[in-house]
Amino acid sequence: MLLENRLAFITGGGRGIGRAIALAFAAEGASIVVAARTRAEIDKVASEVVNQFGVESLAVECDVANAESVLSAFSDLKEKFGRGPDIVVNNAGIAETALFVNTDEALWECHLNINLGGTFRCTHAGLPEMIERGWGRIINIASIAGKTGAPYVSAYAASKHGVLGLTRSLALEVAAQGITVNAICPGYVETEMTSRGIENIVEKTGKSADEALKMLERMSPQNRLVTPEEVAALAVLLASEDGRGINGQAINVDGGTVLF
Ligand code: NAD
């Protein structure tokens, strides 16, 4: 198993991509800390990994937008496991659409604070012990919107571009200390986030849900959405010992939509 004796802290782990990563890591033997705001969702995933794979798990309520909440989640996990995580997956995120002229302070602030600030806070909380131990993995779930622009997503794209800047800089800072820092950049993935995007397109354009879905599918040369499990498979490689040479990268899982 690729992740035996590893402890992974996964934000936004209650559903979607985060849940798929929790299951894929547990299948490789990792103990799992599921951190998000919705108690019912995190409890469910924490039980799933125990029941399916017999690993240890903990569900901790955590709002990554709030520094105290992140520190309290880390203190809870240290109490249970007696140490900090080997792997931090910064997956929690939000995506709202708006014309730039309608992007107010609140919309701007929450994207920066959750998507980029959350990545900063959880990495900051987990890194010192990784440095002490001489081994660690930071995996940031960014987006192809971290590499390109698109109309209506200036706040989201700015936050994800920021995640790539953090990833690349920190990767170089800790490269000689047994730690890798990488980002995964998915295209449209079959999750609630994309379902909400489809509802939004329906509401704003009058297209049917099926037409809206087909429009998103056509953005990929493979003419399909990515599955959460495909994103999780790459996260397993990045988290594993086999992935130790991959550092500072922003790897697309998008069927070839973006070629850089
Ligand atoms: P999702 O909406 O299904 O899940 C998002 C998760 O983040 C949920 O568990 C939610 O509770 C959690 N979350 C949101 N704000 C939080 C906060 N302040 N504190 C703690 N947890 C919080 O979406 P998903 O598609 O699984 O998205 C996961 C990540 O993947 C996000 O960062 C998203 O930007 C990124 N991504 C998604 C897609 C896509 O098409 N779905 C594409 C590219 C990148």
Side-chain angles (χ1 to χ4, degrees):
M1 286 202 279
L2 293 172
L3 303 179
E4 218 160 8
N5 300 321
R6 301 294 186 204
L7 174 60
F9 177 82
I10 304 166
T11 68
R15 61 170 193 253
I17 294 171
R19 172 179 171 272
I21 293 175
L23 290 167
F25 280 14
E28 292 297 338
S31 302
I32 304 295
V33 181
V34 191
R37 291 170 306 182
T38 317
R39 177 45 76 183
E41 289 183 349
I42 55 178
D43 279 345
K44 191 159 174 276
V45 174
S47 320
E48 267 182 301
V49 297
V50 173
N51 296 336
Q52 287 187 39
F53 305 107
V55 297
E56 280 196 277
S57 78
L58 175 70
V60 278
E61 274 178 49
C62 176
D63 178 357
V64 300
N66 181 300
E68 271 178 34
S69 177
V70 169
L71 291 179
S72 140
F74 269 76
S75 123
D76 288 355
L77 82 84
K78 279 185 191 170
E79 200 170 305
K80 177 169 169 81
F81 293 97
R83 65 197 190 93
D86 306 289
I87 305 160
V88 169
V89 180
N90 291 303
N91 165 76
I94 56 159
E96 302 291 329
T97 51
L99 277 173
F100 180 76
V101 289
N102 296 333
T103 299
D104 57 14
E105 283 282 345
L107 191 77
W108 176 258
E109 196 47 49
C110 69
H111 281 83
L112 272 287
N113 202 21
I114 295 173
N115 298 355
L116 179 56
T119 300
F120 164 76
R121 284 179 203 101
C122 297
T123 303
H124 208 258
L127 191 68
E129 219 178 292
M130 293 181 189
I131 293 173
E132 266 174 42
R133 215 181 283 137
W135 199 95
R137 298 284 185 266
I138 308 285
I139 301 170
N140 298 327
I141 309 303
S143 167
I144 52 172
K147 292 185 171 181
T148 61
Y152 314 118
V153 294
S154 51
Y156 180 72
S159 70
K160 295 297 188 178
H161 274 70
V163 169
L164 294 197
L166 187 162
T167 302
R168 289 166 174 149
S169 302
L170 180 59
L172 297 180
E173 223 173 277
V174 296
Q177 290 164 290
I179 300 165
T180 67
V181 187
N182 289 289
I184 299 179
C185 298
Y188 281 103
V189 186
E190 289 169 8
T191 68
E192 274 186 36
M193 186 177 273
T194 299
S195 305
R196 282 194 304 278
I198 289 172
E199 281 166 21
N200 224 353
I201 296 169
V202 169
E203 203 181 290
K204 292 203 170 124
T205 65
K207 285 184 200 295
S208 72
D210 196 48
E211 283 169 334
L213 170 63
K214 288 206 159 61
M215 197 177 100
L216 299 187
E217 286 174 343
R218 277 196 301 272
M219 288 184 183
S220 162
Q222 293 183 338
N223 207 15
R224 68 180 184 92
L225 303 187
V226 169
T227 66
E229 290 72 26
E230 290 175 271
V231 178
L234 175 57
V236 169
L237 172 64
L238 295 175
S240 72
E241 197 50 33
D242 291 342
R244 66 190 176 280
I246 307 170
N247 189 32
Q249 302 304 307
I251 304 171
N252 305 343
V253 182
D254 67 345
T257 310
V258 172
L259 296 176
F260 58 90

